[in-house]
Amino acid sequence: MKRLFIILTLAISAIGWNGCLPRYTFNGASIDYNTYKTISFGEFPIRAALVYPPLQSAFENRMTDMIAQQTRLRVIDSNNSDLRMEGEITNYQLSPQAVGEDAYASQTRLTISVKVKYTNNKNQSLSKDLSFSAYRDFPSNELLVDVQDELCDQICKDLADLIFNATLGDW
């Protein structure tokens, strides 16, 4: 009888404590959905010397889609959201990498960098200004215009993962 009482007490306590704990999910988010319900995004204009115009919308869409798919946060168009992300694309750069036998580069690297201002309107001490970079290499015998869309998509996914983990994942 005493054992049953202890088990029931522990079970009821665990259920009661569950509402007070942050929610951890398998996607890496550690968000207390009792506190945070909305997120908004500002624009991420391209401030790099080399500009690829579709990059801005590709990056913004990737970020918005990731948050919508991996969290229960509602994406809104307002500065009055619980959380906000904005920033700029600061670098879009090509650089030669591996040198072949003929002394020419056999690989080219496309690097994209972004600055992110993450604002937590519920707890300002958790707000952050961060910078991220990601890259992909491709054979130098391929033209950038032929691989650019695919490379940008892959790099934007990497950047979105990094940003998600550093802000909402709180790694």
Side-chain angles (χ1 to χ4, degrees):
M1 187 70 165
K2 185 176 180 181
R3 187 175 194 187
L4 178 63
F5 176 75
I6 292 171
I7 291 172
L8 285 174
T9 303
L10 289 174
I12 290 170
S13 296
I15 291 170
W17 287 336
N18 190 32
C20 300
L21 298 174
R23 305 284 186 236
Y24 291 94
T25 60
F26 293 112
N27 62 17
S30 61
I31 301 166
D32 179 359
Y33 291 109
N34 293 322
T35 304
Y36 302 103
K37 304 207 182 303
T38 60
I39 188 168
S40 62
F41 292 91
E43 289 188 356
F44 283 81
I46 301 172
R47 305 271 191 251
L50 184 60
V51 175
Y52 178 55
L55 178 60
Q56 180 178 349
S57 61
F59 177 73
E60 291 170 354
N61 290 339
R62 176 63 80 168
M63 284 298 303
T64 304
D65 291 348
M66 176 177 270
I67 301 300
Q69 292 169 2
Q70 295 190 15
T71 72
R72 294 187 313 208
L73 294 171
R74 193 167 36 97
V75 178
I76 62 172
D77 292 327
S78 170
N79 291 342
N80 297 327
S81 58
D82 299 330
L83 303 168
R84 181 162 176 79
M85 284 192 208
E86 57 194 328
E88 60 188 13
I89 298 167
T90 58
N91 190 28
Y92 185 89
Q93 177 181 345
L94 292 169
S95 57
Q97 292 304 304
V99 178
E101 295 174 5
D102 56 1
Y104 290 102
S106 60
Q107 291 282 313
T108 301
R109 176 170 291 172
L110 174 62
T111 303
I112 300 174
S113 302
V114 295
K115 284 186 182 177
V116 177
K117 181 179 180 184
Y118 171 74
T119 306
N120 184 323
N121 290 316
K122 299 283 186 171
N123 184 350
Q124 287 296 325
S125 67
L126 297 176
S127 296
K128 306 171 185 181
D129 287 323
L130 304 164
S131 294
F132 302 92
S133 285
Y135 65 87
R136 282 287 192 275
D137 293 340
F138 64 98
S140 293
N141 62 354
E142 293 183 13
L143 295 174
L144 178 62
V145 294
D146 293 337
V147 295
Q148 191 165 223
D149 288 336
E150 182 181 341
L151 293 173
C152 286
D153 186 53
Q154 293 170 359
I155 294 170
C156 286
K157 181 187 180 313
D158 291 347
L159 288 168
D161 286 340
L162 291 168
I163 294 166
F164 183 89
N165 290 335
T167 56
L168 300 173
D170 200 26
W171 292 99

